[in-house]
Amino acid sequence: MSRSTAAPTTAQDDTVLARLGIKAELARRMGVFGNFAISFSVICILAGGMSLFGYGLDHGGPAVMLGSWVVIGFMTLLVGMSLADVVSAYPTSGGPYFMADRLGGPRWGWTTGWLNLLGLLGAIAGIDYGAATFIGAFAQLQWDVTPTDTTTLVVFGCILLLHGLLNLRGVRLVTVLNSISVWWQLAGVAVIVGALTLAPAHHRSVRFVLTHFNNDTGFTSPLYVCLIGALLAGYTFCGYDASAHVAEETTEAQTSAPRGIVHAVTVSWIAGFVLLAGMLAAIQDYDATRNTATGVPPAQIFLDVLGANGAKSLLLVVIVAMLFCGNAEVAATSRMIYAFSRSRALPGWRTWRRVSSRTRTPVPAVWLAISVPFVLALPALWSPAAYGAITAINAVGMIPAYGIPVYLALRKGQHYRPGPWSLGRWRRPIGVIAVAYVVVITVVFCLPQSAPITTESFNYAGVTLALALLLAWLTWITRGRHAYRLTATGGSGSGSGSPSPVVG
């Protein structure tokens, strides 16, 4: 792949935006490491890997957990590389929807935008609610306080408020926190795996870690169990579009943002494998870990191997990583809300696109980014199934939103003009594989995950995706086709008549 050796100044970055029809309003205070850090923080292997660890134990066990991590990680890297190629051509806060509009027209942009936005909001709900659950497990160990749905929701609300207040301080603080998050996660993996490995406890064999298969799904087909078991990795490898959403706040954005995506996926892929392998090797009693009274299987592993004090210490490591993750996701989502509102896509768009003159941060968008996830989580008080149905939009919204711009760039063929970070002659073969993977994994996200299939066990992801597409269509015909404008100067943003991408 090729990269430009030029080093554009902030003025040159803003010139790129101007050629795309966008006036620079946000503070450009993020460098290449900061851009990588936000995507790495959002992927957050200590959040996804730990929150879904119990799911993995039931849906295939160690063999599927590690095997699918390798396969899904590699396929995600191909999607990330393909998306990075398009980000280099269109480095804007809008991310996938802006690319889709430029490459395919306003209806593609509108649909992609709604999928991406709903996915981001669902991700915040999932991440911060997961953090609240882990905090409940810690409280049970530390103070013997049994968490309830109500207390979990209260903690969840406090976490959202914290993330909102931190994001209001501006992108400089967000960048500092994301940078700390990188080292916290990497050190956290090293501490967790090191402590579990060096502890004087029984350790599972390499054969067990790599080949043990466990099926508690109710389905009899091993192949089917492998497919749905791959979702531990599938759900974790989301959110790397964050690098695109902060592109307007990144210096040398046409190269920094693509590198941020690719490096975030690569480092997460390697570190996540080490984390899962170390955790699996430390399992003392498989069934007891699956059915732990804490409700958090990793907490049971920590307890069995290190005792109460050690378990609490490692839980704190995971909880802090989750808090970093949620904060980064709020930053990315608020920029998406700001950009989508700039295109007049959201009701009340004039409010959500406002930027603070002091911090140059989209303050109203931050508040919306933390308010909607709280509303999404309210059904958890009455029905976990309803909550799962709502937050399922996380993956089934975000992953297709990554694949659409890649598909449209491939469809453009020779008419597509890449930016300075380009896959070159590898764009088409990698892009074709990436798009095919997006289609397959989206279908897998919608498959039933346990049998017998009941109201409580039903996988509502497919229904959620259908409703999201219906919402996009209804909003398009009622107001989008009249009000939506990609940029202030670019008209409707049709692919054929829009300005060409600029190389720095």
Side-chain angles (χ1 to χ4, degrees):
M1 64 193 69
S2 60
R3 292 195 302 249
S4 170
T5 56
T9 64
T10 296
Q12 288 174 305
D13 281 318
D14 291 347
T15 299
V16 171
L17 285 183
R19 288 284 301 275
L20 293 174
I22 296 173
K23 177 184 177 182
E25 295 181 295
L26 305 179
R28 200 176 289 276
R29 296 170 180 167
M30 187 178 291
V32 60
F33 184 81
N35 189 281
F36 151 77
I38 191 169
S39 281
F40 183 75
S41 297
V42 170
I43 294 173
C44 193
I45 52 176
L46 285 176
M50 296 292 95
S51 296
L52 296 166
F53 193 84
Y55 174 90
L57 294 179
D58 289 338
H59 294 70
V64 175
M65 294 168 75
L66 286 182
S68 65
W69 188 269
V70 173
V71 175
I72 298 297
F74 176 71
M75 299 305 295
T76 302
L77 181 59
L78 297 185
V79 177
M81 292 168 67
S82 298
L83 184 64
D85 189 296
V86 189
V87 169
S88 182
Y90 304 101
T92 76
S93 297
Y97 97 84
F98 190 98
M99 309 173 210
D101 189 303
R102 286 296 197 211
L103 295 169
R107 278 178 287 189
W108 279 106
W110 181 270
T111 302
T112 303
W114 276 104
L115 288 175
N116 192 205
L117 177 58
L118 293 173
L120 288 165
L121 292 169
I124 295 174
I127 293 165
D128 282 357
Y129 197 87
T133 302
F134 269 68
I135 290 173
F138 177 84
Q140 188 173 31
L141 291 175
Q142 179 66 31
W143 301 293
D144 196 27
V145 175
T146 302
T148 65
D149 291 338
T150 301
T151 57
T152 300
L153 190 69
V154 170
V155 174
F156 171 62
C158 292
I159 293 172
L160 287 172
L161 180 60
L162 172 65
H163 287 159
L165 294 174
L166 290 173
N167 272 272
L168 293 180
R169 301 286 295 179
V171 71
R172 190 184 300 277
L173 176 60
V174 171
T175 301
V176 170
L177 292 175
N178 289 336
S179 299
I180 296 172
S181 171
V182 171
W183 301 113
W184 183 274
Q185 285 198 60
L186 294 177
V189 170
V191 168
I192 290 172
V193 174
L196 295 177
T197 302
L198 297 176
H202 169 71
H203 290 87
R204 301 281 181 162
S205 66
V206 173
R207 181 177 180 180
F208 172 88
V209 171
L210 296 178
T211 66
H212 180 72
F213 181 83
N214 183 71
N215 178 16
D216 288 294
T217 65
F219 297 106
T220 57
S221 169
L223 176 60
Y224 186 83
V225 173
C226 288
L227 282 175
I228 58 178
L231 294 185
L232 181 155
Y235 279 116
T236 301
F237 281 111
C238 284
Y240 46 89
D241 58 318
S243 289
H245 292 304
V246 295
E248 292 180 33
E249 297 161 275
T250 302
T251 57
E252 303 181 45
Q254 289 189 287
T255 54
S256 296
R259 289 167 62 190
I261 292 174
V262 175
H263 293 165
V265 173
T266 303
V267 176
S268 298
W269 185 24
I270 296 170
F273 183 88
V274 173
L275 176 65
L276 290 178
M279 292 287 295
L280 292 168
I283 293 175
Q284 303 299 297
D285 185 319
Y286 199 95
D287 289 334
T289 300
R290 289 175 44 244
N291 301 307
T292 175
T294 67
V296 179
Q300 190 62 50
I301 296 175
F302 300 158
L303 274 171
D304 292 341
V305 177
L306 302 170
N309 290 332
K312 288 183 284 188
S313 298
L314 294 189
L315 269 179
L316 282 176
V317 171
V318 175
I319 289 168
V320 172
M322 288 179 166
L323 295 177
F324 279 130
C325 175
N327 190 67
E329 190 70 276
V330 169
T333 305
S334 63
R335 273 53 176 184
M336 168 58 189
I337 292 171
Y338 157 77
F340 213 30
S341 298
R342 185 172 59 191
S343 297
R344 306 182 184 184
L346 298 181
W349 60 270
R350 289 183 178 84
T351 297
W352 312 125
R353 67 147 297 161
R354 291 177 185 166
V355 176
S356 166
S357 59
R358 183 175 62 86
T359 62
R360 295 179 67 185
T361 297
V363 172
V366 171
W367 287 118
L368 187 62
I370 64 171
S371 299
V372 174
F374 185 79
V375 175
L376 293 179
L378 288 177
L381 290 173
W382 303 280
S383 171
Y387 169 71
I390 293 172
T391 56
I393 191 60
N394 173 12
V396 294
M398 293 174 77
I399 298 298
Y402 302 162
I404 290 172
V406 176
Y407 161 73
L408 294 173
L410 291 174
R411 195 178 69 167
K412 276 281 188 180
Q414 297 299 318
H415 298 289
Y416 169 70
R417 291 186 56 194
W421 195 101
S422 170
L423 293 173
R425 62 190 178 92
W426 292 100
R427 179 185 304 109
R428 178 159 291 276
I430 292 177
V432 168
I433 296 172
V435 171
Y437 165 74
V438 167
V439 173
V440 171
I441 196 66
T442 302
V443 172
V444 174
F445 278 131
C446 300
L447 295 175
Q449 296 172 0
S450 62
I453 301 172
T454 65
T455 303
E456 291 297 315
S457 66
F458 185 75
N459 180 8
Y460 291 91
V463 177
T464 306
L465 176 59
L467 291 175
L469 291 172
L470 178 62
L471 173 66
W473 178 71
L474 288 175
T475 54
W476 171 257
I477 63 175
T478 54
R479 67 179 303 272
R481 58 182 176 177
H482 306 296
Y484 175 63
R485 296 291 184 273
L486 183 61
T487 65
T489 60
S492 64
S494 63
S496 60
S498 57
S500 299
V502 182
V503 295

